């Protein structure tokens, strides 16, 4: 397995390779000797007799304060190693660090240096604040009273700065959330809860145990070995790396899996345990990460959410397609459709809607409207389907744009049974259009999946007869509150109903 590791070379021992832990454990005498080595500035060609002088220069000339960065981003020794390698590799301007609102350099890929230099051996964890290198005898002889007064003034000033900073950050985040039109525009901080939700093992068990889902991806890859063989594959949102392993088994040349949740560390263990040596796993958000190579022949991802579009991960697939898919490359899956059917299940309606009319003798019907606005995620009984399906959206992933959640479809539901139509049920179909094509459905007629179906209850059930056509309209749009959420409006039988998937 090609793990992102650090290959540090000690120039004092004939290029003997040391790992990070050994290097950081060098005795204090050796550290002192290394810290007195000539040090070249990170942002200009100027060289200094020791790293302390270089640090002073970087702060004074380039306005980059390492001690400030350490406190602001809670950086440890490894974080600084990544920062140094990031600066050297990306040739960034110092203003980018000065204005940083997040530690975008804190990626495993930046643990590997291009060459040895004293910046990488400096003890940043014991770095002192501004003024440490210029202390003089007069300051050291300050009276206890003067020291206390100075520290109190600094604390008051810091408190004022913190208040201003918090207000500024809050204002910027609020402004950002209002202008965001896609998931790609959300800040890492604002989006952290989404990735945290995929750090729990239960959700991965549920997905892996979904045989429709997992078998479909495995079949798409392993039944098309001649197509996959020798190609470079990018697995977006790789989770436990099951798709990366399938791609490797299918004969892929190199596979890169990326995920921003903590599950990636378990995935590394899984890949190692199974002796898969051509899979590289990276922790990070794709939009913020430099990949080992820019273009890939195949991009595979299990990105679909409830009602297909919930969670907005298709935004990331579009980003991957536009930035990392090679010319004539293939997306897997490459096409998805969304459909709805008319549904009539009196028991389900009574359980979730009429229930509020009489709760232990208390009329709670005021709850019905808001309860109905939350679509029910449920496996429904196909026996209660009353109409033919209507396909409301058909997405070609090679051409779809970021406006994909915003569409309207006129409904014409042909009734195949009589009964009380009390809901519309939504589902999706997924297509891998390969030499050996693979398709799976989340329809009530298909084998159950962890996506289930989405039930949109209507407040006034409609009596229907076989052969009757029920007309209406469904509108879907990206939520104004959250780029990962959906708002759905259904007009039917001269009534309008609003729903929120969030």
């Amino acid at each position: 397995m090609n793990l992102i590791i650090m290959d540090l070379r000690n120039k004092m021992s004939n290029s003997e390779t040391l790992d990070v832990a050994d290097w950081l454990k060098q005795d204090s005498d050796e550290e002192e000797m290394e810290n007195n080595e000539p040090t070249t500035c990170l942002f200009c060609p100027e060289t200094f007799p020791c790293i302390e002088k270089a640090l002073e220069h970087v702060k004074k000339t380039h306005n980059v304060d390492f001690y400030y960065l350490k406190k602001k981003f809670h950086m440890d020794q490894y974080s600084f190693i990544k920062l140094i390698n990031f600066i050297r590799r990306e040739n960034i301007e110092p203003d980018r660090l000065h204005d940083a609102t997040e530690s975008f350099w804190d990626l495993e890929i930046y643990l590997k240096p291009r060459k040895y230099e004293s910046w990488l051996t400096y003890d940043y964890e014991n770095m002192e604040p501004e003024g440490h290198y210029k202390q003089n005898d007069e300051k050291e002889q300050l009276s206890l009273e003067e020291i206390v007064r100075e520290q109190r003034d600094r604390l008051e000033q810091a408190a004022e700065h913190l208040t201003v900073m918090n207000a500024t950050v809050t204002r910027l985040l609020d402004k950002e959330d209002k202008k965001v039109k896609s998931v790609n525009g959300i800040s890492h901080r604002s989006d952290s809860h989404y990735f945290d939700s995929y750090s729990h093992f239960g959700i991965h068990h549920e997905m892996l145990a979904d045989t429709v889902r997992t078998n479909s991806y495995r079949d798409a890859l392993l039944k098309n070995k001649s197509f996959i063989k020798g190609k470079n594959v990018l697995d977006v949102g790789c989770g436990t790396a099951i798709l990366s392993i399938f791609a490797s088994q299918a004969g892929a040349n190199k596979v890169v899996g990326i995920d921003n949740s903590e599950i990636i560390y378990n995935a590394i263990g899984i890949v190692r345990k199974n002796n898969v040596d051509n899979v590289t796993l990276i922790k990070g958000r794709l939009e913020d990460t430099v990949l080992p190579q820019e273009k890939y022949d195949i991009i595979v991802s299990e990105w679909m959410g409830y009602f297909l579009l919930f969670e907005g991960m298709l935004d990331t697939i579009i980003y991957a397609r536009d930035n990392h898919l090679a010319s004539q490359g293939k997306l897997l899956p490459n096409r998805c459709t969304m459909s709805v059917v008319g549904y009539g299940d009196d028991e389900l309606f009574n359980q979730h809607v009429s229930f509020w009319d009489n709760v232990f003798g208390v009329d709670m019907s005021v709850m019905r409207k808001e309860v109905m606005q939350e679509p029910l995620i449920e496996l429904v009984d196909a026996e209660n389907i009353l109409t033919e399906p209507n396909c409301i959206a058909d997405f070609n992933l090679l051409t779809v744009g970021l406006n994909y959640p915003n569409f309207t479809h006129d409904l014409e539901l042909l009734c195949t049974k009589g009964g009380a139509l009390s809901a519309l049920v939504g589902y999706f179909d997924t297509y891998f259009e390969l030499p050996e094509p693979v398709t799976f459905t989340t329809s009530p007629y298909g084998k159950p999946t962890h996506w289930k179906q989405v039930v949109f209850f209507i407040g006034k059930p409609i009596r229907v007869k076989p052969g009757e056509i029920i007309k209406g309209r469904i509108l879907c749009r990206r939520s104004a509150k959250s780029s990962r959420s959906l708002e759905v409006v259904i007009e039917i039988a001269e009534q309008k109903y609003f729903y929120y998937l969030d």
Side-chain angles (χ1 to χ4, degrees):
M1 172 183 175
N2 299 328
L3 298 178
I4 304 302
I5 62 174
M6 190 173 188
D7 182 18
L8 303 177
R9 302 193 180 277
N10 188 330
K11 73 184 184 69
M12 303 298 295
S13 57
N14 297 321
S15 299
E16 177 184 1
T17 301
L18 300 177
D19 63 26
V20 178
D22 291 336
W23 193 19
L24 297 180
K25 290 179 181 177
Q26 299 293 333
D27 59 58
S28 58
D29 291 339
E30 185 173 330
E31 288 178 357
E32 182 177 356
M33 177 179 66
E34 289 178 349
N35 289 343
N36 288 332
E37 291 180 302
T39 304
T40 302
C41 176
L42 294 167
F43 304 105
C44 70
E46 194 166 349
T47 300
F48 301 88
C50 63
I51 193 169
E52 287 85 358
K53 295 294 184 182
L55 283 166
E56 290 181 23
H57 164 79
V58 165
K59 183 179 186 305
K60 181 178 179 181
T61 305
H62 302 292
N63 200 25
V64 175
D65 187 341
F66 272 43
Y67 184 78
Y68 172 75
L69 293 175
K70 173 184 174 182
K71 294 299 183 183
K72 181 177 181 180
F73 298 112
H74 308 288
M75 295 174 65
D76 58 12
Q77 188 73 17
Y78 290 96
S79 300
F80 274 103
I81 290 172
K82 293 175 185 176
L83 174 60
I84 298 303
N85 292 329
F86 171 79
I87 294 171
R88 291 302 193 201
R89 178 170 175 168
E90 307 300 337
N91 296 318
I92 66 165
E93 294 296 325
D95 287 346
R96 188 175 175 191
L97 290 181
H98 178 72
D99 299 332
T101 58
E102 58 181 345
S103 52
F104 42 76
W105 57 85
D106 197 12
L107 303 171
E108 299 302 308
I109 193 173
Y110 295 120
L111 272 175
K112 186 175 181 180
R114 288 187 170 181
K115 64 178 180 179
Y116 168 87
E117 60 178 319
S118 55
W119 286 104
L120 297 171
T121 61
Y122 184 69
D123 185 3
Y124 295 99
E125 293 190 354
N126 293 319
M127 181 169 51
E128 298 291 340
E130 177 185 3
H132 170 69
Y133 309 117
K134 296 181 178 180
Q135 287 180 342
N136 51 45
D137 294 340
E138 180 180 350
K139 183 167 184 178
E140 291 176 354
Q141 296 174 4
L142 288 175
S143 69
L144 179 60
E145 181 180 351
E146 291 173 321
I147 293 174
V148 170
R149 185 186 309 114
E150 180 180 344
Q151 294 300 322
R152 185 175 61 246
D153 292 343
R154 287 185 178 181
L155 285 173
E156 291 176 354
Q157 185 178 29
E160 292 176 1
H161 289 169
L162 185 60
T163 300
V164 173
M165 183 183 300
N166 285 338
T168 301
V169 169
T170 300
R171 186 170 63 254
L172 289 174
L173 288 176
D174 288 344
K175 182 178 180 181
E176 177 186 77
D177 289 340
K178 290 178 182 178
K179 70 180 182 181
V180 163
K181 298 300 181 183
S182 74
V183 167
N184 302 338
I186 304 176
S187 70
H188 192 284
R189 175 178 175 178
S190 299
D191 209 24
S192 61
H193 67 282
Y194 167 71
F195 296 105
D196 289 344
S197 70
Y198 282 91
S199 296
H200 303 288
F201 301 127
I203 191 170
H204 293 281
H205 178 273
E206 182 182 33
M207 291 189 294
L208 291 168
D210 182 344
T211 56
V212 173
R213 164 199 181 268
T214 308
N215 279 334
S216 294
Y217 276 89
R218 183 178 64 176
D219 289 347
L221 293 165
L222 297 186
K223 289 185 177 181
N224 289 279
K225 288 185 176 182
S226 60
F227 179 80
I228 306 296
K229 185 177 180 180
K231 290 184 169 62
N232 295 322
V233 178
L234 175 62
D235 179 3
V236 179
C238 64
T240 57
I242 187 68
L243 304 188
S244 294
I245 294 173
F246 288 161
S248 176
Q249 293 172 345
N253 176 38
K254 294 180 181 178
V255 183
V256 173
I258 182 169
D259 202 297
N260 198 34
S261 72
E262 298 298 310
I263 198 68
I264 191 71
Y265 299 115
N266 301 95
I268 289 172
I270 292 169
V271 169
R272 182 186 294 118
K273 182 74 173 178
N274 288 273
N275 299 315
V276 184
D277 60 7
N278 66 335
V279 171
T280 298
L281 298 180
I282 300 173
K283 184 180 188 300
R285 194 170 71 159
L286 180 65
E287 294 84 350
D288 306 323
T289 303
V290 177
L291 298 179
Q293 63 187 64
E294 183 179 3
K295 299 295 182 179
Y296 297 82
D297 305 303
I298 297 172
I299 295 178
V300 63
S301 179
E302 193 275 82
W303 56 267
M304 298 81 74
Y306 297 129
F307 202 47
L308 185 64
L309 305 182
F310 177 59
E311 292 187 337
M313 191 179 166
L314 182 52
D315 290 11
T316 299
I317 304 307
I318 292 172
Y319 176 89
R321 179 198 69 195
D322 293 346
N323 292 275
H324 298 296
L325 186 64
S327 176
Q328 307 302 312
K330 189 75 171 179
L331 291 172
L332 297 179
N334 64 291
R335 178 171 164 250
C336 291
T337 61
M338 300 171 66
S339 300
V340 296
V341 293
Y343 191 75
D345 183 341
D346 293 342
E347 183 179 352
L348 191 67
F349 185 83
N350 291 334
Q351 181 182 353
H352 292 278
V353 181
S354 300
F355 167 84
W356 301 99
D357 294 343
N358 185 343
V359 183
F360 294 95
V362 178
D363 184 349
M364 295 188 180
S365 57
V366 294
M367 296 279 291
R368 284 181 58 155
K369 182 178 179 180
E370 290 187 51
V371 167
M372 286 174 51
Q373 289 178 349
E374 295 182 2
L376 176 67
I377 310 299
E378 185 65 86
L379 287 170
V380 303
D381 188 346
E383 288 296 319
N384 295 314
I385 292 177
L386 302 180
T387 75
E388 295 285 352
N390 272 196
C391 179
I392 62 173
D394 189 335
F395 300 113
N396 179 345
L397 301 190
L398 275 177
T399 59
V400 68
L402 287 173
N403 198 43
Y404 66 86
N406 307 312
F407 62 86
T408 301
H409 182 82
D410 291 328
L411 300 170
E412 291 191 0
L413 298 166
L414 174 62
C415 297
T416 56
K417 294 181 181 179
L421 192 154
S422 56
L424 296 186
V425 169
Y427 62 91
F428 64 88
D429 295 282
T430 302
Y431 302 84
F432 302 81
E433 295 173 334
L434 293 161
E436 289 291 332
V438 174
T439 302
F440 73 85
T441 184
T442 62
S443 162
Y445 290 113
K447 186 176 179 179
T449 72
H450 78 283
W451 287 286
K452 304 179 182 180
Q453 290 89 40
V454 182
V455 181
F456 302 95
F457 288 112
I458 61 176
K460 296 180 179 180
I462 308 165
R463 299 301 305 184
V464 299
K465 300 175 182 178
E468 186 177 358
I469 295 178
I470 305 301
K471 294 186 177 183
R473 175 176 294 181
I474 184 169
L475 179 149
C476 181
R477 64 190 175 209
R478 195 188 296 270
S479 172
K481 297 180 180 180
S482 169
S483 292
R484 294 197 181 276
S485 302
L486 296 174
E487 298 174 1
V488 177
V489 181
I490 294 176
E491 299 177 26
I492 193 168
E494 299 182 348
Q495 299 290 323
K496 183 180 290 188
Y497 302 97
F498 297 86
Y499 310 89
Y500 304 94
L501 267 169
D502 54 18

